[in-house]
């Protein structure tokens, strides 16, 4: 009976996941490209009601820097992609929604970017929404101002994030050092206390009149001594754990600095 319930639960979860669709979020495109490399021109237009079926075609236009008019450079429709301008021939790839006529991501990818690609880009969504009794046609336009540079420049956010990373690593190292010193002092104090208790027990054993009592007191003293020594392995484990965390943070710092 339990196995049957688990089977039904797994089938229900599979059906639920299959019917789920990814959420759409409108994100602005990057605006700085490096000459000689590829660059993604982002253009996203999300539907306000995802349950409404729709169909869309996309057109991209380009206005070079210093020019007044836009020229059409790219079209994407049911018939597939078409490059409309010789300047971008064999240099534009579709990077948007795939396997669906309901296009919400109309991004394209420019190959081998040149300084002549600097300017203003505009993408048009020609969208048709299908309702029960009618169809609604809408046109949505997005604009991207592209600047082509010879070498990539680091933004302020990247510099600040790197500085904060190093500050946090140094702070963690200082905290680990303080904790290691604290644990070491506790280990030393515990050892001294155990030795002191053992010395007191031996003194009481020597002062005892009875040999049996002396042996009993010695047993008590050595028992206390070993009980005191049992504290030390615990702190040693803590000490080794702190060392492992220090090594881990150093490795993370090396990986992060190599990525940046």
């Amino acid at each position: 009976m339990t196995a049957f319930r688990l089977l039904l639960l797994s089938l229900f979860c599979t059906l639920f996941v299959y019917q789920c669709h990814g959420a759409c979020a409108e994100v602005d495109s990057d605006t700085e490209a490096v000459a000689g490399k590829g660059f993604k021109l982002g253009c996203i237009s999300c539907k306000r009601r995802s349950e409404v079926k729709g169909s869309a075609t996309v057109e991209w236009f380009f206005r070079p820097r210093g020019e007044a008019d836009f020229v059409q450079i790219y079209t994407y429709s049911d018939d597939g992609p078409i490059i409309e301008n010789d300047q971008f021939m064999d240099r534009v790839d579709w990077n948007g929604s795939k396997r669906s006529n309901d296009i919400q991501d109309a991004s394209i990818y420019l190959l081998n970017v040149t300084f002549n690609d600097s300017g203003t880009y505009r993408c048009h969504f020609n969208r048709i929404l299908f309702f029960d009794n009618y169809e609604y046609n809408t046109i949505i336009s997005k604009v991207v101002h592209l600047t082509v540079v010879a070498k990539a420049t680091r933004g302020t956010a990247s510099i600040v994030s790197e500085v904060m990373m190093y500050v946090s690593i140094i702070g963690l190292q200082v905290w680990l050092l303080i904790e290691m010193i604290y644990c070491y002092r506790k280990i030393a104090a515990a050892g001294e206390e155990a030795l002191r208790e053992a010395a007191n027990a031996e003194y009481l054993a020597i002062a005892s009149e009875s040999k049996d009592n002396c042996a009993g007191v010695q047993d008590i003293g050595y028992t206390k001594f070993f009980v005191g020594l049992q504290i030390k392995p615990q702190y040693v484990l803590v000490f080794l754990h702190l060392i492992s965390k220090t090594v881990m943070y150093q490795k993370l710092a090396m990986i992060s600095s190599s990525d940046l």
Side-chain angles (χ1 to χ4, degrees):
M1 188 65 179
T2 304
F4 180 72
R5 289 181 179 178
L6 291 175
L7 179 61
L8 289 179
L9 181 61
S10 62
L11 291 175
F12 175 77
C13 293
T14 304
L15 180 63
F16 179 76
V17 171
Y18 177 78
Q19 292 180 348
C20 290
H21 302 281
C24 177
E26 296 188 5
V27 181
D28 293 335
S29 174
D30 292 332
T31 58
E32 184 178 277
V34 180
K37 296 185 178 181
F39 181 78
K40 179 180 177 180
L41 283 169
C43 181
I44 301 175
S45 174
C46 301
K47 295 189 305 184
R48 296 295 177 264
R49 296 177 60 183
S50 59
E51 72 275 7
V52 178
K53 295 182 179 180
S55 177
T57 60
V58 177
E59 296 175 332
W60 276 90
F61 298 86
F62 171 60
R63 184 180 66 190
R65 183 168 297 175
E67 300 291 333
D69 299 327
F70 283 89
V71 295
Q72 187 172 357
I73 63 172
Y74 190 82
T75 302
Y76 189 88
S77 61
D78 296 339
D79 298 330
I82 301 175
I83 299 177
E84 307 281 359
N85 189 276
D86 293 338
Q87 178 182 342
F88 296 91
M89 192 63 62
D90 298 328
R91 293 201 304 119
V92 180
D93 285 337
W94 178 253
N95 200 251
S97 302
K98 297 179 175 64
R99 299 184 297 274
S100 175
N101 294 330
D102 190 6
I103 299 173
Q104 298 186 74
D105 184 357
S107 302
I108 59 176
Y109 193 80
L110 296 181
L111 302 172
N112 192 20
V113 176
T114 66
F115 290 101
N116 293 329
D117 297 333
S118 296
T120 303
Y121 293 81
R122 178 178 293 168
C123 72
H124 286 246
F125 284 87
N126 299 307
R127 177 174 290 153
I128 302 175
L129 299 176
F130 302 103
F131 294 93
D132 293 337
N133 300 321
Y134 67 96
E135 297 178 357
Y136 180 76
N137 195 334
T138 180
I139 298 177
I140 301 171
S141 180
K142 302 278 185 176
V143 176
V144 180
H145 300 283
L146 179 63
T147 301
V148 180
V149 297
K151 185 178 179 181
T153 58
R154 295 185 61 186
T156 305
S158 176
I159 297 174
V160 172
S161 62
E162 183 177 0
V163 171
M164 293 302 297
M165 180 193 68
Y166 284 113
V167 169
S168 61
I169 291 175
I170 294 173
L172 288 172
Q173 294 286 347
V174 173
W175 175 77
L176 289 173
L177 180 61
I178 295 174
E179 190 173 357
M180 290 169 63
I181 295 174
Y182 173 75
C183 292
Y184 175 78
R185 294 184 64 180
K186 290 200 68 174
I187 292 172
E192 292 178 358
E193 183 66 23
L195 292 175
R196 189 179 300 109
E197 292 181 358
N200 292 334
E202 291 178 357
Y203 174 77
L204 293 175
I206 293 174
S208 177
E209 295 179 356
S210 173
K211 183 177 180 180
D212 295 335
N213 292 338
C214 177
V217 172
Q218 286 179 350
D219 291 340
I220 295 174
Y222 288 121
T223 301
K224 291 184 178 180
F225 175 74
F226 286 113
V227 169
L229 289 179
Q230 287 178 359
I231 301 176
K232 298 178 68 174
Q234 300 175 1
Y235 288 108
V236 171
L237 290 176
V238 174
F239 183 77
L240 294 176
H241 178 65
L242 293 175
I243 293 176
S244 64
K245 288 198 294 184
T246 303
V247 174
M248 180 185 68
Y249 286 128
Q250 290 177 348
K251 290 183 178 180
L252 289 175
M254 294 175 62
I255 295 173
S256 301
S257 61
S258 62
D259 293 339
L260 294 172

